[in-house]
Amino acid sequence: MKILITGGAGYIGSHTIIEIIQNTNWEIISIDNYSNSSEEAYDRIEKITGKRVKYYNVDLKNLLATEKVFNENPDIKGIIHFAAFKAVGESVEQPLMYYDNNLNSLSNILKCQAKYDVPNIIFSSSCSVYGNVEELPVTENSKLRKSESPYAYTKQIGEVMVDNFIKVNEELKAISLRYFNPVGAHISGLNGESSTTKPNNLVPFITQTAIGKLEKLTVFGNDYDTKDGTCVRDYIHVSDIANAHVLALKYLIDGVVEKKHDIINLGTGVGVTVIEAINAFEKVSGEKLNYEIGNRREGDIAAIYANNDKAKETLAWESKYNLDDMMLSAWKWEKYQEENKF
Ligand code: UD1
């Protein structure tokens, strides 16, 4: 069975390909344009799994080039659509780049899904669609508030696009997965986030500070109304996120779905403060982290974590990795990159 992965060289895409190879006999076709990744991801996947996947260098904004992949690979049974820009701050500075990339790519993928009769699609969404939440934990039925960034808005619109599209295409089904904070690296330490741009997320910032690539970490505010004053997030290991995609696609393929387009949170359900994350890193790595308390970051919300009952009930999914595993794997990956000079 053929499965198309967009953004397959990216952070979550590459870990999902590993999970698919190790748990199914699906044949993978990957598309990426390496705007924030590189072809080397496929070498790392091969090193971990022993398998080389088929891949294309295609920009999904180019409909003709995208269609060519579908023409060359008839009978695709499912699409996992990861490819998108994801840096919140960058999206505030360059909003049109985000609308242009994230929405046109999705539109083209949906056009191809209909034209080439691909019955199933998984859409990468984000907890940022909830905006500034008031009630915790958030469930899939929590009200979506105003988006805090163009990035978050592309995910709100993306979910609506998928919904509208699935409604008028009788035979097609979809799941939007709302990721909380994916972190960590493959447990082997041989694959992880390999952005070509400067990190803007907490865990790469921690590991790059510890290894000496960055001078120090600034904790963005310790005057929030949380247990130690720093922001609370729901960090989830990237391989747990990856595994949920395999289960979600199997669920769609098996055909007994309650809704033609369903929405599912992916988080561990555990709220962790920035200081707790730093403490976990120091404990598992044995490194002392150079950090200071700074001002709040604009657009940050005080706390968000998931109610993940639906993922457990619908997909029979459970997270396998805890905060220590997340930090240790991220640290292994950082050291691996240092040793191998990439
Ligand atoms: C945001 C989005 C999330 C998206 C992710 C992708 C929201 C609510 N969440 O996550 O949906 O998938 O970006 O990039 O919009 N921090 C520091 N110092 C640092 C970096 C971060 O203290 O140098 C703190 C932040 O204040 C925050 C936590 O660490 O409390 C996590 O930050 P980050 O990793 O950037 O993720 P979010 O902003 O939660």
Side-chain angles (χ1 to χ4, degrees), residues 46-337:
E46 189 174 359
K47 191 159 188 185
I48 292 170
T49 65
K51 277 211 175 146
R52 188 100 192 139
V53 296
K54 182 173 182 181
Y55 59 90
Y56 290 84
N57 180 351
V58 164
D59 185 334
L60 297 171
K61 295 199 296 305
N62 182 337
L63 182 59
L64 281 182
T66 307
E67 284 205 29
K68 200 161 170 272
V69 178
F70 283 84
N71 272 317
E72 282 180 21
N73 298 279
D75 222 16
I76 293 171
K77 287 284 178 260
I79 300 167
I80 308 183
H81 179 52
F82 291 109
F85 292 153
K86 59 152 197 174
V88 175
E90 183 183 61
S91 80
V92 174
E93 273 151 33
Q94 301 187 65
L96 295 186
M97 189 172 102
Y98 273 67
Y99 293 119
D100 187 34
N101 187 62
N102 292 6
L103 300 180
N104 285 320
S105 299
L106 174 61
S107 168
N108 285 344
I109 274 295
L110 295 176
K111 282 178 194 160
C112 290
Q113 187 187 1
K115 183 167 175 184
Y116 296 90
D117 294 320
V118 180
N120 307 297
I121 187 164
I122 308 284
F123 173 60
S124 290
S125 188
S126 153
C127 72
S128 62
V129 299
Y130 292 111
N132 229 325
V133 287
E134 277 177 358
E135 275 173 45
L136 290 171
V138 281
T139 77
E140 292 79 358
N141 295 323
S142 296
K143 187 172 176 300
L144 302 193
R145 293 173 182 277
K146 187 178 162 296
S147 52
E148 294 291 313
S149 68
Y151 160 75
Y153 196 37
T154 66
K155 294 300 176 185
Q156 287 185 340
I157 300 171
E159 286 189 6
V160 174
M161 281 169 68
V162 171
D163 206 71
N164 296 164
F165 166 80
I166 291 295
K167 202 170 273 167
V168 293
N169 283 278
E170 204 45 47
E171 306 300 319
L172 310 186
K173 289 173 288 177
I175 292 181
S176 294
L177 294 174
R178 290 180 178 159
Y179 314 147
F180 280 67
N181 286 56
V183 298
H186 190 264
I187 216 73
S188 62
L190 301 175
N191 186 46
E193 177 146 32
S194 182
S195 295
T196 49
T197 51
K198 193 171 170 274
N200 50 55
N201 297 112
L202 179 65
V203 176
F205 235 101
I206 290 177
T207 56
Q208 292 193 19
T209 303
I211 207 117
K213 278 192 206 162
L214 299 172
E215 200 203 321
K216 79 163 71 136
L217 172 84
T218 302
V219 174
F220 296 140
N222 68 349
D223 55 352
Y224 286 97
D225 184 16
T226 61
K227 54 186 154 179
D228 60 25
T230 64
C231 292
V232 169
R233 293 290 183 274
D234 185 336
Y235 298 98
I236 171 169
H237 193 277
V238 64
S239 296
D240 278 330
I241 292 258
N243 174 249
H245 288 76
V246 180
L247 297 174
L249 199 50
K250 277 188 183 160
Y251 173 75
L252 286 182
I253 290 166
D254 286 347
V256 277
V257 299
E258 258 176 43
K259 285 189 186 153
K260 267 164 56 64
H261 172 216
D262 217 338
I263 292 180
I264 301 178
N265 282 344
L266 284 185
T268 61
V270 181
V272 170
T273 68
V274 178
I275 293 296
E276 286 172 335
I278 292 172
N279 289 344
F281 173 79
E282 289 187 332
K283 184 184 81 183
V284 298
S285 68
E287 301 286 325
K288 187 91 199 79
L289 195 71
N290 185 20
Y291 72 90
E292 64 180 8
I293 307 293
N295 293 330
R296 289 182 175 197
R297 179 173 70 174
E298 206 188 323
D300 256 341
I301 58 178
I304 185 165
Y305 53 93
N307 172 312
N308 61 10
D309 290 351
K310 190 165 173 183
K312 288 179 178 164
E313 283 158 19
T314 312
L315 306 177
W317 172 84
E318 285 284 349
S319 58
K320 270 201 287 202
Y321 301 109
N322 62 23
L323 186 63
D324 288 354
D325 301 323
M326 297 176 210
M327 292 299 174
L328 188 58
S329 58
W331 182 230
K332 271 189 178 177
W333 167 239
E334 190 65 61
K335 287 194 293 185
Y336 179 75
Q337 290 176 90

